[in-house]
Amino acid sequence: SSSPAVSPDGRQVAMILSRSGSPDVWVANVDGSNLRQLTKTKELEASPCWSPDGRTLCFTSADGGRPALYTVPVSGGSMKRLNTGGVTQCTEPDWSPDGKWIAFTRAAGEFTIYVMPATGGDVKAVAAGEDPSWSPNSRTLIFTRRAGSERRLSLLDVPSGHVKDLLRNSGSCSQPSWAR
């Protein structure tokens, strides 16, 4: 997704802009001032999300060939690839409000949602679906899953693994997110 992401304190926005030839991660104040470029790759970057302390962005980049997850300091610095334990085609990261976890979608075959520590490493598949978004209590994920030709909104209780469908007859939905 190329939708801009507002920082936890509401003062800055992260976005993907193609000003320098390829889509890179940029940050600006919400009024548009102080625009600065954080990544400079020849590949596509996408889906920036903020750490709860507002100091780091996690995003998808195809810099290594296939889409993978990277972090970059908002203050500037080099981007760093997260260890996703051999899981490839990683997209749509979302950082939990308590700072401990990153959920993401593996965009290959049947789309699968994974959860891992924010530092990377111990990756766990938690549900079939996409577009994960953490609840404010950092326990539940809301996401969409395909059921035949429609997309359903579902809730996953991460510790128990229990999935519950919401709004069964809601037609097609995508990219849900929690009110902050």
Side-chain angles (χ1 to χ4, degrees), residues 19-53:
R19 289 191 163 199
S20 51
S22 77
D24 283 299
V25 179
W26 295 67
V27 172
N29 296 341
V30 286
D31 65 3
S33 65
N34 195 22
L35 179 67
R36 54 203 192 278
Q37 184 174 0
L38 296 184
T39 67
K40 296 180 174 68
T41 72
K42 291 186 172 62
E43 310 303 327
L44 169 81
E45 268 84 66
S47 307
C49 70
W50 293 82
S51 62
D53 65 9

Side-chain angles (χ1 to χ4, degrees), residues 18-177:
S18 300
R19 289 191 163 199
S20 51
S22 77
D24 283 299
V25 179
W26 295 67
V27 172
N29 296 341
V30 286
D31 65 3
S33 65
N34 195 22
L35 179 67
R36 54 203 192 278
Q37 184 174 0
L38 296 184
T39 67
K40 296 180 174 68
T41 72
K42 291 186 172 62
E43 310 303 327
L44 169 81
E45 268 84 66
S47 307
C49 70
W50 293 82
S51 62
D53 65 9
R55 290 182 187 164
T56 310
L57 289 170
C58 181
F59 58 95
T60 300
S61 175
D63 190 45
R66 291 193 222 172
L69 300 184
Y70 291 79
T71 57
V72 69
V74 174
S75 58
S78 55
M79 57 189 259
K80 190 177 87 183
R81 186 170 176 165
L82 282 171
N83 170 10
T84 51
V87 177
T88 58
Q89 308 286 30
C90 305
T91 63
E92 303 173 335
D94 193 52
W95 212 308
S96 64
D98 66 7
K100 293 180 183 169
W101 308 100
I102 290 173
F104 64 92
T105 303
R106 177 172 193 246
E110 183 186 24
F111 284 24
T112 306
I113 293 169
Y114 285 80
V115 171
M116 68 176 179
T119 49
D122 189 16
V123 184
K124 185 176 150 195
V126 291
E130 57 196 294
D131 297 325
S133 175
W134 287 100
S135 66
N137 69 5
S138 302
R139 180 183 168 108
T140 308
L141 284 170
I142 192 168
F143 65 99
T144 56
R145 69 179 187 87
R146 290 164 206 252
S149 61
E150 56 173 29
R151 286 154 66 99
R152 291 205 176 141
L153 215 50
S154 299
L155 284 181
L156 164 71
D157 180 72
V158 174
S160 71
H162 182 71
V163 173
K164 179 170 79 180
D165 278 352
L166 300 174
L167 312 169
R168 257 175 207 275
N169 303 313
S170 60
S172 198
C173 53
S174 68
Q175 298 192 317
S177 106

